[in-house]
């Protein structure tokens, strides 16, 4: 058994022994999450009873690969903005193209971003990229503090050295750096943009925490809604609150489903009357087609060796679905025929992760179901991607007041600010056939340094 496996087994044994098996500590932990606004849809964001442990060696490899890949993606996005043919391959809506053409006032295409990684003892693989701020940033530091000092983890730390990674300071400092380059001369008044759902009675707790982060750095910050902001006389405001910087958590496609390009936020952005982080230009990263461009060697052949190696070693082969020829492992194939004949090792995914379209895992379908999925993917923007095996671990879960051991999928999200990885979050979900899991959430992520 590896040292990591041994540590996990010892932690599980610890929480099933006295004085922890009565779960008073777990119930107290749950209550502290609720009291600290660490909730989503009214439930604690972490139903799990142990942190996710990563070895120092694996974390260092994750950071190195992530930063090389982020640099390559930035290069791809710059090329796409300068080359209409490449931009067309990303299948943006006309309004998305228009927004991407607007200079945000600072040079970074993404200020905050994350990768979705499968991290285990085998190959490290990246399956998604998101120019967004994960809930792991807003929630992560508070979760880390709660777990690091809860009774069983404190006892566990007598034998194993744990280190926390990341923190919230990198988020705020990167946003303020972008604002300074945009031309801001003083601390900005920050509007954290939130879509309020029709049934939602109050602000989501994640947005409240984001506001607190900015306030701690001396900024005035409020939650603002696209429905309530207005733009007059060169000023963007919500009521009496003047907004210098919009911290955008609303994806462009979601925005365009409800508003058009005459919206006050878009007009203020065009006039350079407000700084938007991440900019609308960063929406290029939300298209899975970026993995098509990354794995196309005719595009990346001139990239630095470290970036090409990161792509080759860590990114699954991906192509936009079309009736065309494609390169696969050095040979030219008819793409639709190749997809049909290789169902077991392929997945079809919508180009935009915010789409209501479904992903289709070939190994879970029969030939007829796979053929139907391919016909749909040919009509709408879809990518085909090589299968990446999920990483599964057993975690203790607090389930209706009882401790249960559940096998869950583990996705690790390296969190990057201005292209540098500053910590990571872990998202755990119980694998279910329908895609919805009632047991899912964040887990604090600690580096296991080894025995003391």
């Amino acid at each position: 058994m590896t040292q990591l496996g041994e540590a996990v087994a010892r932690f599980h044994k610890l929480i099933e022994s006295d004085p922890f098996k009565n779960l008073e500590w777990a119930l107290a932990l749950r209550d502290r999450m609720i009291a600290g606004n660490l909730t989503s849809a009214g439930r604690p964001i972490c139903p799990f009873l142990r942190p996710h442990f990563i070895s120092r060696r694996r974390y260092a490899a994750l950071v190195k690969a992530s930063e090389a890949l982020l640099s390559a993606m930035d290069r791809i996005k710059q090329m796409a903005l300068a080359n209409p043919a490449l931009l067309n391959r990303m299948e943006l809506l006309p309004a998305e193209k228009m927004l991407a053409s607007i200079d945000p006032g600072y040079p970074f295409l993404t200020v905050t971003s994350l990768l979705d990684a499968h991290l285990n003892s085998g190959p490290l693989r990246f399956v998604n990229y998101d120019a967004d701020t994960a809930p792991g940033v807003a929630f992560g530091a508070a979760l880390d503090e709660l777990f690091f000092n809860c009774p069983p983890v404190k006892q566990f730390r007598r034998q194993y050295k744990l280190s926390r990674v990341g923190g919230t300071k990198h988020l705020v400092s990167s946003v303020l750096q972008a604002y300074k380059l945009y031309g801001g001369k003083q601390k900005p008044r920050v509007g954290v943009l939130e879509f309020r759902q029709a049934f939602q009675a109050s602000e989501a707790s994640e947005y409240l925490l984001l506001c607190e982060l900015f306030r701690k750095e001396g900024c005035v910050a409020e939650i603002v809604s696209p429905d309530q902001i207005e733009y007059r006389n060169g000023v963007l405001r919500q009521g009496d609150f003047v907004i210098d910087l919009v911290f955008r958590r609303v994806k462009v496609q979601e925005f365009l489903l409800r508003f058009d390009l005459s919206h006050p936020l878009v007009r203020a952005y065009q006039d350079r009357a407000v700084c938007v982080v991440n900019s609308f230009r960063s929406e290029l990263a939300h298209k899975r087609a970026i993995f098509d461009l990354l794995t196309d060697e005719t595009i990346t052949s001139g990239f630095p060796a470290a970036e090409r190696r990161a792509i080759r070693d860590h990114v699954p082969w991906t192509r936009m679905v079309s009736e065309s020829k494609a390169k696969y492992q050095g040979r030219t194939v008819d793409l639709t025929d190749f997809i049909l004949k290789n169902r077991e090792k392929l997945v079809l995914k919508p180009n935009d992760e915010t789409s209501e379209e479904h992903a289709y895992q070939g190994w879970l379908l029969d030939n007829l179901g796979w053929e139907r999925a391919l016909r749909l993917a040919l009509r709408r923007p879809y990518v085909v991607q090589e299968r990446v095996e999920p990483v599964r671990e057993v975690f203790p879960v607090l389930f209706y007041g009882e401790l249960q051991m559940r096998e869950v999928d583990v996705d690790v999200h390296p969190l990057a600010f201005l292209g540098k990885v500053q910590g990571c979050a872990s998202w755990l979900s119980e694998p279910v056939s329908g895609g919805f899991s009632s047991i899912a959430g964040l887990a604090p992520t600690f580096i296991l340094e080894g025995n003391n």
Side-chain angles (χ1 to χ4, degrees), residues 53 72 75 92 120 126 148 165-166 245 270 341 348 366 375 416 421 435-436 452:
F53 301 129
R75 206 178 301 277
L92 273 71
N120 57 19
F126 296 98
F148 201 72
V165 294
L245 184 149
Q270 287 177 303
K341 292 179 178 177
L348 294 167
D366 59 19
R375 285 201 300 267
V421 174
F436 173 78
N452 289 332

Side-chain angles (χ1 to χ4, degrees), residues 62-63 65-78 80-81 90 106-118 125-134 248-249 251 278-295 311 314-316 318 349-355 383 385 388 411-422:
L62 177 69
V63 171
S66 297
E67 291 185 350
L69 195 55
L70 288 164
S71 178
M73 286 182 167
D74 190 69
R75 206 178 301 277
I76 285 282
K77 287 178 285 183
Q78 297 283 9
L81 287 170
M90 301 194 76
Y106 52 82
F108 318 116
L109 287 175
T110 55
V111 177
T112 72
S113 59
L114 64 98
L115 288 157
D116 187 349
H118 288 194
R125 305 289 273 172
F126 296 98
V127 296
N128 201 26
Y129 176 52
D130 194 352
D132 200 352
T133 302
R248 182 173 68 91
R249 289 299 315 278
K251 291 181 171 61
N278 280 332
S279 74
F280 289 117
R281 179 170 283 182
S282 71
E283 205 68 17
L284 295 176
H286 288 297
K287 305 299 180 182
R288 291 190 170 104
I290 197 169
F291 278 58
D292 175 352
L293 302 184
L294 272 178
T295 57
I311 295 167
H314 305 300
V315 179
T318 307
K349 299 179 178 180
N351 185 37
D352 197 308
E353 69 166 328
T354 61
S355 168
V383 301
Q385 191 173 77
V388 176
D411 294 312
V412 176
H413 297 160
L415 306 173
F417 305 99
L418 302 179
K420 295 296 181 182
V421 174
Q422 306 285 358

Side-chain angles (χ1 to χ4, degrees), residues 37-342:
N37 281 324
L38 303 180
T39 59
S40 178
R43 296 189 296 180
I45 58 169
C46 179
F48 308 100
L49 296 183
R50 78 162 167 90
H52 181 216
F53 301 129
I54 299 176
S55 71
R56 173 60 68 178
R57 179 181 62 83
R58 292 298 285 166
Y59 181 69
L62 177 69
V63 171
K64 181 179 179 181
S66 297
E67 291 185 350
L69 195 55
L70 288 164
S71 178
M73 286 182 167
D74 190 69
R75 206 178 301 277
I76 285 282
K77 287 178 285 183
Q78 297 283 9
M79 291 171 65
L81 287 170
N83 186 326
L86 287 184
L87 193 62
N88 287 338
R89 281 178 60 173
M90 301 194 76
E91 295 281 355
L92 273 71
L93 298 171
E96 290 175 321
K97 280 188 180 180
M98 193 286 287
L99 289 172
S101 71
I102 301 172
D103 182 353
Y106 52 82
F108 318 116
L109 287 175
T110 55
V111 177
T112 72
S113 59
L114 64 98
L115 288 157
D116 187 349
H118 288 194
L119 179 68
N120 57 19
S121 56
L124 166 64
R125 305 289 273 172
F126 296 98
V127 296
N128 201 26
Y129 176 52
D130 194 352
D132 200 352
T133 302
V137 178
F139 288 138
L143 253 191
D144 287 357
E145 184 68 23
L146 286 181
F147 270 83
F148 201 72
N149 292 299
C150 76
V153 175
K154 287 178 73 172
Q155 183 161 324
F156 181 78
R157 285 164 45 207
R158 295 174 186 171
Q159 184 174 3
Y160 293 91
K161 182 179 179 182
L162 299 179
S163 297
R164 289 180 277 189
V165 294
T168 56
K169 63 180 181 179
H170 304 290
L171 166 64
V172 178
S173 64
S174 65
V175 172
L176 294 182
Q177 184 176 345
Y179 182 66
K180 183 177 180 181
L181 291 172
Y182 159 86
K185 303 298 184 184
Q186 55 191 9
K187 290 289 178 72
R189 291 160 289 194
V190 180
V192 177
L193 195 67
E194 177 196 21
F195 267 149
R196 183 75 64 82
Q197 303 298 328
F199 57 83
Q200 190 176 328
S202 61
E203 291 90 352
S205 56
E206 179 188 351
Y207 294 83
L208 293 170
L209 291 174
L210 286 167
C211 281
E212 284 302 313
L213 294 180
F214 287 108
R215 289 168 187 158
K216 286 177 181 177
E217 294 299 319
C219 302
V220 178
E222 300 290 344
I223 296 174
V224 298
S225 168
D227 299 287
Q228 298 174 4
I229 56 179
E230 56 182 354
Y231 180 54
R232 293 200 319 268
N233 302 322
V235 176
L236 188 70
R237 64 174 70 240
Q238 179 171 283
D240 294 332
F241 178 58
V242 174
I243 306 166
D244 303 313
L245 184 149
V246 168
F247 188 76
R248 182 173 68 91
R249 289 299 315 278
V250 176
K251 291 181 171 61
V252 167
Q253 192 170 94
E254 295 172 327
F255 183 86
L256 292 174
L257 285 173
R258 294 172 58 177
F259 306 105
D260 59 28
L261 297 180
S262 66
H263 187 274
L265 175 58
V266 176
R267 291 188 286 113
Y269 180 65
Q270 287 177 303
D271 292 348
R272 196 74 69 82
V274 68
C275 179
V276 177
V277 176
N278 280 332
S279 74
F280 289 117
R281 179 170 283 182
S282 71
E283 205 68 17
L284 295 176
H286 288 297
K287 305 299 180 182
R288 291 190 170 104
I290 197 169
F291 278 58
D292 175 352
L293 302 184
L294 272 178
T295 57
D296 185 341
E297 293 181 357
T298 63
I299 294 173
T300 60
S301 59
F303 284 20
E307 294 177 14
R308 287 186 282 115
R309 186 165 52 250
I311 295 167
R312 183 187 66 239
D313 294 346
H314 305 300
V315 179
W317 175 86
T318 307
R319 287 294 180 269
M320 288 297 299
V321 177
S322 64
E323 294 180 336
S324 62
K325 302 292 183 181
K327 285 282 189 181
Y328 179 77
Q329 295 184 352
R331 61 190 174 94
T332 300
V333 298
D334 180 276
L335 187 58
T336 54
D337 184 59
F338 176 81
I339 293 170
L340 280 175
K341 292 179 178 177
N342 291 275

